[in-house]
Every structure is written in structure tokens, then in C-alpha cells.
Amino acid sequence: MRIGIGNDHAAIELKKEILNYLSEKGYEVINFGINEGETVDYPNIGEEVGNAVANNIVDYGVLICGTGVGISLAANKVNGVRACVCSEPTTASLAKRHNNANIIAFGARIVGVEVAKDIVDSFLNASFEGGRHLRRVNLFKDIEERQK
Ligand code: RB5
């Protein structure tokens, strides 16, 4: 499975930890984020990872900024993206199971590295449950169409 990871300058260390963690688990991880000594405006990274997910260049995205909020807001502007900010693993699991989230986001100023690992594990190990949730998730597409 291919994962796109993205971060701004608030999340360089946590991005490295999560990138290594996922790589060691056997995921192919593409780094769209920045590294030491660089700064970036988080909407640009959110858009890049959003496009990679929407265009099936990666299967899922992991976005990290200070809070996870700004970078997920940007990703959600890309049609087909369902990015959820999570600060704990239960929401991360339900975001996939019920909302068919394709990007998980969290904040380096909010969660520690062990909780962040639990969040990505819960997200990646969960499966969309379909059924009544599919009808609701399909309504997101209707909203996108009405915005065109
Ligand atoms: C950058 O300082 C910070 O604003 C950003 O990482 C993020 O928290 C925005 O939502």
C-alpha cells in the first residue's frame, strides 16, 4: 500500500518518526512534506497530498501540521478528498469505517509520537463499512457537484 505523507515546519520531527514507522511496517511512503531548515505554507502541502490521493498516486494520505487543522482544510478543497483531523485512535478508526476518510491529519503540537502511531495504525487497519454509510458518503460528491 502506498501512503503520501505531508507536513509543514511545525511537524518535521513527527513526520520523520511516522514516515520511518510506516516504512518499517512495509508501506511505501512518499514524502510530500518539508525537512529541516525549510518552511512552507501548509495549504500547498495539503493540496499536493490531496491531489495525490484524488489521482490515485497514493492510496491514503497522512498530513501533519501544528494542529492538523490547516493542512486538512486545504486537502478537503480537493474534490474526492475526505480528510479528518484526529487526536486519538477511535476517531481515526471511525473516520475510515463510517466516513471512508482517505486522509488522516493530526497536530504535532497536539499529539505525541506514540499516540500519532496509534492514530495511523487505527486509520490504516480499519475498513469502510459501506451500507448506510455509503449513501451518506456519496452525498459528499453531490455537494462537490453543486459547487461546480
Ligand atoms: C504553523 O505555525 C501553524 O499555523 C500550522 O502548522 C498549523 O497548525 C495550521 O493549522
Side-chain angles (χ1 to χ4, degrees):
M1 187 183 291
R2 194 179 287 184
I3 310 291
I5 195 164
N7 65 286
D8 73 357
H9 43 274
I12 290 168
E13 283 309 312
L14 187 55
K15 185 280 299 288
K16 278 198 289 186
E17 296 270 3
I18 299 301
L19 193 159
N20 291 338
Y21 180 68
L22 292 175
S23 299
E24 280 165 16
K25 281 180 168 256
Y27 293 102
E28 184 184 345
V29 188
I30 301 179
N31 182 15
F32 292 87
I34 59 163
N35 297 308
E36 285 91 349
E38 301 177 296
T39 59
V40 71
D41 294 326
Y42 57 78
N44 296 329
I45 303 291
E47 181 182 12
E48 263 195 80
V49 173
N51 280 330
V53 170
N55 296 320
N56 297 313
I57 292 161
V58 295
D59 298 292
Y60 295 106
V62 175
L63 288 174
I64 323 172
C65 65
T67 57
V69 173
I71 204 161
S72 63
L73 288 174
N76 275 317
K77 296 292 182 189
V78 177
N79 283 349
V81 165
R82 292 173 300 280
C84 298
V85 186
C86 300
S87 298
E88 38 69 35
T90 305
T91 305
S93 173
L94 284 166
K96 174 81 80 62
R97 288 161 51 203
H98 289 188
N99 311 113
N100 203 13
N102 47 20
I103 296 183
I104 202 79
F106 45 88
R109 294 176 178 150
I110 309 297
V111 301
V113 63
E114 296 307 322
V115 173
K117 289 175 183 172
D118 285 346
I119 288 170
V120 293
D121 282 342
S122 296
F123 174 68
L124 293 171
N125 293 335
S127 300
F128 181 51
E129 292 174 5
R132 70 186 192 280
H133 303 297
L134 178 61
R135 183 173 54 79
R136 291 163 182 161
V137 169
N138 281 338
L139 293 173
F140 294 144
K141 289 185 203 150
D142 295 351
I143 297 170
E144 289 173 350
E145 284 302 315
R146 288 196 289 273
Q147 293 293 314
K148 283 180 182 167

